[in-house]
């Protein structure tokens, strides 16, 4: 038996932020990030709509990019003090992911972070509050997923939390919120969405419910991401919907080792953080070549290429076309091809990669990858990505 879970309500279209006034409750805590929603006036609008609906509103501001365990704990305490019956998270993936974890600690103060790190091990939520998510970027799709990523900076590790309990009750996908995104963020989040859709399509848990969503998302990213990057607002609106469709697919089909690798390298090197979408974009073509050595995965990648109208008379030619298309996008979006190009120091890479590879194999996303991998093979794959060499194993 399989399960397919989405938010009960997904509102989409320009101006749908106003649906906040139709939430039924007494108190709402609004969790936001570093200030872009405030500067653009959307935070004030959200507060106004919630109050118009008859709710008392408290703010929890300043969730950092790649939210920390410490921020989650502070937010949970703020929730326990205020006692909301709605948690509303607005912003990029970070405040929404953080709020999902805060939700668990709000309702179950005695639970531990270690408990939540076990996939699908959350306690039963909605004992005190429901959850509404409003994305301001077009990539993570956390507004429709059963996932959250929290960073333990002391250990230098990102932990993906997974449980259908943390799928939001309401998603508000308003393209007005993404019109001011800087091009680099459009690029990284767009490639994150593409990775979500491709990994969902080839996942060992894909099914008839997830495949159409994944294919539609891939087609929309191919059609609209370059124009969105170049400032076309119609394309940017379509990308906001594409990333949401990709999220619906991967929340139910799960992901693969592109994400395992990105989770474990994001905070690992002294040269600076590797933004999640940038890491995914770099790793994706190499992982496709690794996975395509397995026949079932190769046929799935070839089907993507065929459906997207890419050239190729054979399965292998179609897989190559798909990789070339992704490489072409990365060039257009000014994304580095290799970890060396990104600026990771060679000696540090060599020193840390064995441990990173071991952690990546143990990541929650590895289990649904279409080709098995062990730490030694993972290290070889990372080495190909560092130097830009062919994946021939």
């Amino acid at each position: 038996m399989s399960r397919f879970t989405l938010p009960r309500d997904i509102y989409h279209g320009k101006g749908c932020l106003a649906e906040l006034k139709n939430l039924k409750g007494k108190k709402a805590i609004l969790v936001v990030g570093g200030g872009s929603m405030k500067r653009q006036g959307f935070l004030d609008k959200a507060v106004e709509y919630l109050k118009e609906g008859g709710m008392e509103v408290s703010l929890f501001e300043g969730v950092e990019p790649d939210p920390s365990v410490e921020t989650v704990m502070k937010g949970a305490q703020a929730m326990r003090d205020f006692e909301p019956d709605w948690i509303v998270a607005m912003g990029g993936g970070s405040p929404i992911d953080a709020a999902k974890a805060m939700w668990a600690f709000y309702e179950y103060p005695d639970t531990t972070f270690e408990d939540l790190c076990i996939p699908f091990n959350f306690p039963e939520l909605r004992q005190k509050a429901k959850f509404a998510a409003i994305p301001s970027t077009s990539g993570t799709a956390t507004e429709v997923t059963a996932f959250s990523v929290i960073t333990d900076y002391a250990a230098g590790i990102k932990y993906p939390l997974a449980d259908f309990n943390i799928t939001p009750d309401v998603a508000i996908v308003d393209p007005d919120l993404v019109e001011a995104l800087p091009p680099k963020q459009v690029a990284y989040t767009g490639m994150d969405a593409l990775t979500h859709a491709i990994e969902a399509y080839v996942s060992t848990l894909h099914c008839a419910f997830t495949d159409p969503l994944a294919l539609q998302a891939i087609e929309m990213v191919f059609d609209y991401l370059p124009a969105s990057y170049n400032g076309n607002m119609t394309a940017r609106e379509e990308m906001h919907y594409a990333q949401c469709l990709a999220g619906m697919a991967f929340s139910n089909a799960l992901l693969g080792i592109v994400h395992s690798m990105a989770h474990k390298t994001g905070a690992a090197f002294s040269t600076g953080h590797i933004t999640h979408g940038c890491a995914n974009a770099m790793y994706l073509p190499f992982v496709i070549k690794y996975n395509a050595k397995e026949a079932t995965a190769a046929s799935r990648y070839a089907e993507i290429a065929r459906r997207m109208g890419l050239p190729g008379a054979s399965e292998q030619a179609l897989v190559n076309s798909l990789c070339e298309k992704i490489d072409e996008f990365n060039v257009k979006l000014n994304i580095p091809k290799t970890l060396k190009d990104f600026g990771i120091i060679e000696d540090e890479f060599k020193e840390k990669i064995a441990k990173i590879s071991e952690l990546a194999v143990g990541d929650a996303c590895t289990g649904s990858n279409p080709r098995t991998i062990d730490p030694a093979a993972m290290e070889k794959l990372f080495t190909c990505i560092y130097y830009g060499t062919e994946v021939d194993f």
Side-chain angles (χ1 to χ4, degrees):
M1 186 189 79
S2 299
R3 178 174 174 177
F4 186 84
T5 300
L6 297 175
R8 184 183 185 281
D9 294 300
I10 301 171
Y11 297 101
H12 54 93
K14 292 173 77 65
C16 68
L17 184 64
E19 282 299 324
L20 284 174
K21 63 188 174 187
N22 294 321
L23 299 184
K24 306 298 182 190
K26 294 179 180 178
K27 289 183 174 183
I29 189 165
L30 186 49
V31 180
V32 293
S36 64
M37 291 294 92
K38 179 182 282 188
R39 288 191 300 274
Q40 295 173 45
F42 292 115
L43 180 58
D44 287 343
K45 280 187 178 180
V47 170
E48 182 183 315
Y49 289 139
L50 289 165
K51 288 182 175 177
E52 193 176 331
M55 282 201 258
E56 183 184 345
V57 182
S58 176
L59 294 180
F60 185 87
E61 301 180 73
V63 175
E64 73 272 41
D66 302 295
S68 64
V69 175
E70 292 77 13
T71 295
V72 167
M73 296 308 183
K74 286 178 188 172
Q77 184 59 55
M79 291 176 186
R80 288 193 290 270
D81 293 342
F82 183 62
E83 299 184 332
D85 47 14
W86 274 99
I87 298 165
V88 180
M90 181 167 69
S94 297
I96 299 174
D97 278 8
K100 287 179 175 179
M102 293 170 190
W103 187 14
F105 289 108
Y106 165 45
E107 298 205 354
Y108 295 91
D110 295 330
T111 197
T112 67
F113 191 74
E114 289 70 26
D115 289 337
L116 301 186
C117 285
I118 300 168
F120 301 94
N121 192 51
F122 272 64
E124 193 67 29
L125 298 180
R126 295 168 181 79
Q127 308 304 305
K128 297 179 180 178
K130 292 182 179 179
F131 194 100
I134 309 160
S136 68
T137 61
S138 301
T140 71
T142 188
E143 73 276 5
V144 293
T145 75
F147 302 105
S148 163
V149 180
I150 306 299
T151 301
D152 182 340
Y153 284 94
I157 297 172
K158 288 187 174 185
Y159 292 107
L161 310 180
D163 197 285
F164 288 116
N165 266 289
I166 57 172
T167 304
D169 298 281
V170 174
I172 295 175
V173 187
D174 189 336
D176 285 345
L177 275 67
V178 297
E179 287 194 351
L181 284 177
K184 185 177 283 189
Q185 201 168 7
V186 171
Y188 292 168
T189 55
M191 292 304 289
D192 190 21
L194 181 64
T195 306
H196 289 156
I198 291 176
E199 289 210 294
Y201 193 73
V202 302
S203 160
T204 57
L205 297 175
H206 78 88
C207 68
F209 292 87
T210 61
D211 284 353
L213 293 164
L215 286 171
Q216 178 67 16
I218 294 166
E219 184 173 355
M220 291 174 76
V221 173
F222 281 170
D223 285 347
Y224 295 113
L225 180 53
S228 176
Y229 177 72
N230 290 320
N232 181 299
M233 291 304 151
T234 300
R236 194 158 299 180
E237 178 175 355
E238 295 297 330
M239 276 302 302
H240 206 40
Y241 304 149
Q243 63 87 32
C244 188
L245 294 172
M248 295 181 206
F250 91 78
S251 186
N252 293 280
L254 306 188
L255 292 164
I257 59 171
V258 177
H259 274 77
S260 303
M261 298 164 83
H263 290 150
K264 297 307 184 272
T265 50
F269 297 105
S270 63
T271 40
H273 187 79
I274 307 174
T275 305
H276 179 70
C278 179
N280 281 341
M282 285 191 289
Y283 303 166
L284 181 59
F286 293 92
V287 169
I288 289 173
K289 289 172 184 174
Y290 172 82
N291 285 341
K293 307 292 184 189
E294 198 279 325
T296 304
S299 68
R300 299 288 291 176
Y301 289 126
E303 180 60 23
I304 292 172
R306 197 175 292 115
R307 292 285 290 268
M308 299 308 130
L310 300 178
S314 67
E315 217 166 65
Q316 185 58 56
L318 287 162
V319 172
N320 290 342
S321 284
L322 180 60
C323 292
E324 287 164 10
K325 182 75 170 178
I326 295 163
D327 285 337
E328 175 191 314
F329 264 50
N330 285 342
V331 170
K332 286 181 180 177
L333 302 171
N334 291 303
I335 292 171
K337 183 173 177 61
T338 69
L339 283 168
K340 189 172 186 179
D341 292 341
F342 182 86
I344 303 302
I345 298 165
E346 187 172 17
D347 287 346
E348 186 182 9
F349 173 82
K350 289 178 177 178
E351 177 192 338
K352 293 182 174 179
I353 200 58
K355 182 62 177 176
I356 289 170
S357 298
E358 183 184 328
L359 292 169
V361 169
D363 186 89
C365 293
T366 300
S368 46
N369 193 68
R371 184 184 174 194
T372 58
I373 194 163
D374 60 22
M378 181 66 80
E379 188 170 345
K380 285 176 72 175
L381 184 54
F382 267 124
T383 301
C384 291
I385 294 168
Y386 185 85
Y387 294 106
T389 52
E390 276 303 309
V391 179
D392 57 2
F393 59 96

